[in-house]
Amino acid sequence: MKYEKLCKQIIELVGGKENIEAVVHCMTRLRFTLKDQELANANKDALKAIPEVIDVVSNKVSFQIIIGTEVNQIHPELLTLLGMKESEEPKVKKNIFKAILDVMSESISPIIPAMMAVGLMAGVLAIFVAAGVLKDTSPTYIIFNSIKDGLFYFLPIFMAVSASKRLGAPMYLGILLAGTLLTTSLNGVEGLSLFGLPLQTITYSNTFIPILLGLWFMGRVNKVLVKIIPKSLEYFFSPLLLIAITLPVTLFLFGPIGTWISDGLTIGVEFLTGTFGTWIVLALYAACQPLLIMMGAGNFIVPLVLAAFASQGYEEIFIPAFIISDLAVSGAMLGYFIRSKNKEQKQFFGSVAFSAFMGITEPAVFGAFVKYRRPFIAVMIGGGLGGLFAGLMHVKAYAMTNLFGLVSFIGNKDHNNFYFMIIALVIGFVVSLAAGYLLWLPKNEIEAETVIDQVESKSTLNTVPIATPVSGEVKSLAEVKDDAFSSGALGTGVGIVPTDNLIKSPIKGKVASLFPTNHAIGVVSEEGVEVLIHIGIDTVDLKGQYFEALVEQGAEVDLGSPLIEVDFEQVKAAGYDPTVIMIITNTQDYLEVLPNLDEDNSLNNDLITVIM
């Protein structure tokens, strides 16, 4: 047993045999299901200190030890020591609270462009009124201002469109349910009864929780009806029964529950602000948002934000805080960009700084913050101070928007609110930039830059070109939404958003490994370069569905040989990120591995250059 010592160390540090319920593996990591995960969490540092271990990831689903491509050799030995047999990954009970937040977030995301349009329109109208171009009593103003009423009044219909598929309800029946709730016969009407039983007076406009609950119930009922209604009668009776069953349950049960939840969220926000002060909560969220994103906990604010808009017409904590935090992340990365002397790192820090400025901070968080750690401190300082100022000045967001919708902060002719928000953003950005510049990288990273500069100065080097495995949009590895890959811990490489279903060999060589679910394949070139192609994020959970291997392990392949055919449309429909990741797993064996992100990569035979 080649890895016996390593396996024994891992078993001991995760809490011993008796603490392990199951262990499976994907292409690069061991995934443990543990009885008491805290026992393993207490030993995370010791696990990371093991030379063969790249990183340790602990979450609600599993405890993961990232090792690299040798994991397929380590796993059988680990099972032998545990006395277990090879098995599929067990189904893990999902965190209900997280699942609810995920549904809300995924349902609201498609509506965000409409919400941002409303916010920008509100800002433009405010500017026109302030400039004397329009009066707030003019028909033109009233017509354009009604866009906001159109969105929030009919919010249940928007939610029905975006959430029906996610919840398993037929979309048009979901829209019918939402439209029915908004009719003048039901919406906010007092003294109604159904089957002789009194109904609570509920206002269904400007809220989303009752319709989400109704759609969830409709999805459950739909599954039952599909099983019991004969196919020949399904077309005629299933829609009728679905709406006839769901509407009364929504009126009697989900309407009141939704109202209670909305009121509870409002009370919760009022408790936070009343107990700790709006300014403290805003400052803390602006300082800590990157940490929440890293932990996958950024979605919890969605119901709180919508509840605030529904009850107050504005939101004064989370929207100002996340805009300030995003700009602080951009500032910290710009500080790193200014301080860095290495061309490749300058390109990386510059790209993630711009991405954060545009409101997309994941590349910076997973590509730089996780790796260097110190940017977290820079954002906590800058974002915290910016958030503190915004909180003390009682800045309010009158629409769900981002940096480019700042004019919406004028809202209700409140120009000071807009000016205070601008000042808060400047504080967050400038302080984070200065902190990022001063904190910079640890000494070993600076030394690593010097080595890279020396390598780049050499003129006579042997190189191995690695071609594009699939047509598509190429992006830096830092932008890939899997921190094990994006941090570069498993090797240097690139991500590709595919536009073709055929994965081809990027080199001439041999298929060294083919994962049983066909979602990942390793090819070794004639020069010994180890290329790992990982198809999609977390697609191991699909257990081979939509993936068809066109080669076998051990097969000799030429440049461009078909390897795997993937139905990416089905992968995306199943809710998975289809990004194809290609990395050089033995990066450390070479002077440098350079991704090429500058050309048309659909025909680029030099997507990655390995300097021997």
Side-chain angles (χ1 to χ4, degrees):
M1 293 179 67
K2 181 180 177 182
Y3 298 98
E4 182 176 1
K5 181 181 177 182
L6 170 63
C7 291
K8 287 182 176 178
Q9 283 181 292
I10 290 173
I11 291 169
E12 180 184 352
L13 292 173
V14 299
K17 290 183 182 181
E18 61 280 359
N19 194 39
I20 301 172
E21 291 186 344
V23 55
V24 296
H25 74 99
C26 65
M27 203 69 184
T28 57
R29 63 192 79 185
L30 294 167
R31 298 171 186 252
F32 287 85
T33 303
L34 304 173
K35 294 176 183 175
D36 184 356
Q37 198 157 306
E38 290 306 312
L39 292 176
N41 286 335
N43 295 320
K44 280 177 70 173
D45 291 338
L47 282 164
K48 289 180 181 180
I50 299 174
E52 293 88 347
V53 173
I54 295 171
D55 201 359
V56 177
V57 177
S58 177
N59 55 42
K60 295 289 184 182
V61 177
S62 64
F63 186 87
Q64 303 174 24
I65 300 177
I66 302 169
I67 292 174
T69 51
E70 306 91 8
V71 73
N72 62 335
Q73 302 170 48
I74 295 170
H75 183 250
E77 295 188 17
L78 188 64
L79 290 180
T80 300
L81 291 172
L82 291 170
M84 295 180 177
K85 293 182 179 180
E86 188 88 32
S87 63
E88 292 185 347
E89 189 168 0
K91 290 185 178 179
V92 181
K93 201 179 261 187
K94 291 185 178 180
N95 183 300
I96 295 176
F97 181 66
K98 184 178 184 304
I100 292 171
L101 290 179
D102 286 345
V103 169
M104 288 185 178
S105 176
E106 291 167 20
S107 301
I108 291 167
S109 292
I111 307 172
I112 287 177
M115 290 183 170
M116 295 188 70
V118 166
L120 289 168
M121 180 60 70
V124 170
L125 289 175
I127 291 173
F128 284 174
V129 170
V133 177
L134 278 177
K135 291 184 177 180
D136 56 10
T137 56
S138 69
T140 301
Y141 179 93
I142 292 170
I143 288 171
F144 280 103
N145 193 51
S146 66
I147 293 174
K148 181 177 181 181
D149 297 331
L151 172 64
F152 286 102
Y153 184 89
F154 293 105
L155 186 59
I157 292 179
F158 283 89
M159 294 299 289
V161 173
S162 64
S164 293
K165 184 177 179 181
R166 174 70 173 77
L167 296 171
M171 180 187 293
Y172 289 102
L173 288 177
I175 295 171
L176 177 60
L177 176 65
T180 304
L181 296 176
L182 292 175
T183 59
T184 54
S185 304
L186 293 177
N187 188 39
V189 176
E190 298 180 0
L192 289 176
S193 63
L194 182 63
F195 308 132
L197 300 173
L199 291 172
Q200 185 175 330
T201 302
I202 305 290
T203 300
Y204 293 99
S205 54
N206 298 300
T207 187
F208 66 97
I209 296 177
I211 188 63
L212 275 183
L213 294 171
L215 291 170
W216 169 82
F217 181 72
M218 182 181 282
R220 305 285 77 72
V221 174
N222 190 42
K223 284 185 177 179
V224 175
L225 293 180
V226 166
K227 293 178 181 178
I228 64 176
I229 296 178
K231 277 285 181 187
S232 57
L233 300 176
E234 185 179 330
Y235 182 81
F236 300 99
F237 289 101
S238 185
L240 172 64
L241 290 173
L242 265 180
I243 197 69
I245 294 171
T246 306
L247 179 60
V249 173
T250 302
L251 294 173
F252 277 119
L253 184 63
F254 298 139
I257 289 176
T259 302
W260 299 334
I261 292 174
S262 296
D263 292 345
L265 292 173
T266 302
I267 292 169
V269 173
E270 290 174 351
F271 172 78
L272 285 174
T273 56
T275 305
F276 303 104
T278 303
W279 59 279
I280 293 180
V281 181
L282 201 161
L284 285 174
Y285 190 83
C288 300
Q289 183 183 241
L291 291 169
L292 296 171
I293 290 172
M294 187 182 71
M295 294 185 292
N299 294 338
F300 85 94
I301 71 167
V302 173
L304 298 175
V305 168
L306 287 181
F309 277 128
S311 62
Q312 302 172 162
Y314 61 85
E315 199 281 319
E316 57 182 337
I317 298 177
F318 299 110
I319 292 179
F322 90 69
I323 299 175
I324 293 167
S325 181
D326 285 355
L327 205 58
V329 170
S330 179
M333 289 294 91
L334 188 59
Y336 268 50
F337 170 82
I338 295 170
R339 188 71 180 268
S340 175
K341 296 178 181 179
N342 173 259
K343 287 187 292 184
E344 186 180 344
Q345 288 211 345
K346 265 191 178 295
Q347 181 183 2
F348 167 69
F349 290 130
S351 66
V352 297
F354 178 74
S355 176
F357 184 81
M358 299 300 289
I360 304 169
T361 57
E362 284 82 359
V365 171
F366 291 111
F369 284 46
V370 172
K371 182 177 182 181
Y372 301 123
R373 306 287 195 267
R374 296 187 182 191
F376 280 118
I377 301 173
V379 171
M380 291 182 79
I381 297 170
L385 288 174
L388 180 63
F389 178 84
L392 290 172
M393 296 298 107
H394 302 289
V395 171
K396 300 176 180 66
Y398 292 100
M400 185 173 285
T401 186
N402 62 10
L403 181 65
F404 299 98
L406 282 181
V407 286
S408 65
F409 279 80
I410 296 175
N412 298 338
K413 304 178 184 179
D414 191 354
H415 292 84
N416 284 336
N417 187 69
F418 173 70
Y419 301 142
F420 289 145
M421 184 61 184
I422 295 292
I423 295 170
L425 288 171
V426 171
I427 292 172
F429 181 78
V430 172
V431 173
S432 294
L433 189 156
Y437 181 87
L438 293 173
L439 290 171
W440 184 217
L441 303 175
K443 183 180 177 183
N444 63 329
E445 294 294 340
I446 298 173
E447 291 172 350
E449 281 194 358
T450 304
V451 172
I452 292 171
D453 286 334
Q454 292 172 352
V455 168
E456 289 180 346
S457 68
K458 295 179 185 276
S459 57
T460 56
L461 296 170
N462 293 325
T463 62
V464 177
I466 311 297
T468 305
V470 64
S471 297
E473 179 190 348
V474 177
K475 56 185 180 180
S476 70
L477 197 63
E479 296 178 75
V480 173
K481 295 179 180 178
D482 184 310
D483 55 342
F485 286 109
S486 63
S487 66
L490 298 173
T492 300
V494 296
I496 307 164
V497 181
T499 56
D500 186 22
N501 286 340
L502 190 61
I503 308 296
K504 300 178 181 179
S505 177
I507 54 174
K508 181 179 181 181
K510 182 179 181 180
V511 177
S513 58
L514 177 63
F515 200 71
T517 56
N518 298 329
H519 78 289
I521 188 169
V523 184
V524 179
S525 77
E526 295 174 328
E527 298 84 4
V529 179
E530 298 173 4
V531 182
L532 170 64
I533 304 171
H534 193 284
I535 307 167
I537 308 295
D538 292 330
T539 45
V540 63
D541 296 334
L542 289 172
K543 303 188 186 304
Q545 193 176 12
Y546 314 129
F547 296 81
E548 181 184 355
L550 305 177
V551 293
E552 295 181 352
Q553 186 167 320
E556 301 286 341
V557 292
D558 290 319
L559 175 64
S561 294
L563 299 177
I564 297 173
E565 188 169 8
V566 188
D567 189 338
F568 280 113
E569 289 302 318
Q570 293 291 345
V571 171
K572 288 188 283 188
Y576 291 87
D577 184 336
T579 302
V580 175
I581 304 159
M582 182 170 72
I583 62 170
I584 309 303
T585 55
N586 58 340
T587 293
Q588 70 281 356
D589 294 342
Y590 304 106
L591 290 176
E592 185 60 292
V593 176
L594 301 173
N596 176 11
L597 307 176
D598 299 330
E599 299 180 15
D600 177 8
N601 289 294
S602 60
L603 298 172
N604 183 12
N605 282 336
D606 222 353
L607 181 56
I608 297 176
T609 300
V610 178
I611 303 176
M612 304 295 286

